[in-house]
């Protein structure tokens, strides 16, 4: 499976060294991968059997981290005092995902 190891990378990014939130993080990973596949115009489940480009992987790590840090509905994390932080995350994620997008017409 190409998405193996994402949990460890997300936990490293979030500086988490426990397993208490693994189920939650895995649900966020599933959602982020689904978003990436949809945004990139590739079939659902593509990244379960195909190599995930590094830029897409980074976008997913960022998006999962954002979901986790913002699970209470705020911008969350270190950027809670910045009202545009949430939009900045989405802009960056989408820019990264565009690099591996299938530009079908």
């Amino acid at each position: 499976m190409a998405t193996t190891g994402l949990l460890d990378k997300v936990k490293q990014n979030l500086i988490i060294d426990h397993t208490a939130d693994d189920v939650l993080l895995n649900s966020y990973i599933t959602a982020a991968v689904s978003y990436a596949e949809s945004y990139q115009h590739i079939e659902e489940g593509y990244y379960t059997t195909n190599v995930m480009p590094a830029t897409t992987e980074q976008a997913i790590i960022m998006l999962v981290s954002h979901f986790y840090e913002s699970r209470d509905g705020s911008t969350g994390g270190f950027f809670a005092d910045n009202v545009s932080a949430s939009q900045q995350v989405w802009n960056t994620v989408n820019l990264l995902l565009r690099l591996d997008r299938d530009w079908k017409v």
Side-chain angles (χ1 to χ4, degrees):
M1 175 186 258
T3 57
T4 303
L6 276 175
L7 179 61
D8 290 336
K9 290 177 182 182
V10 167
K11 288 172 75 169
Q12 287 173 350
N13 191 61
L14 289 167
I15 313 170
I16 295 175
D17 61 0
H18 58 79
T19 60
D21 290 334
D22 284 7
V23 172
L24 178 64
L25 289 170
N26 275 315
S27 71
Y28 292 155
I29 289 169
T30 299
V33 169
S34 179
Y35 176 79
E37 291 169 341
S38 176
Y39 188 91
Q40 293 175 334
H41 300 147
I42 56 179
E43 71 222 34
E44 183 179 344
Y46 179 85
Y47 288 125
T48 59
T49 57
N50 293 279
V51 174
M52 183 179 293
T55 49
T56 296
E57 183 179 82
Q58 183 58 40
I60 289 169
I61 291 167
M62 290 177 67
L63 191 52
V64 172
S65 297
H66 174 64
F67 290 161
Y68 183 81
E69 292 286 328
S70 305
R71 61 192 177 277
D72 64 351
S74 69
T75 51
F78 297 108
F79 306 108
D81 61 341
N82 182 344
V83 295
S84 64
S86 182
Q87 187 60 48
Q88 290 170 347
V89 169
W90 282 100
N91 289 344
T92 303
V93 165
N94 288 338
L95 285 171
L96 287 167
L97 292 176
R98 275 187 208 149
L99 296 171
D100 302 309
R101 191 174 197 176
D102 186 356
W103 292 92
K104 297 176 189 173
V105 180

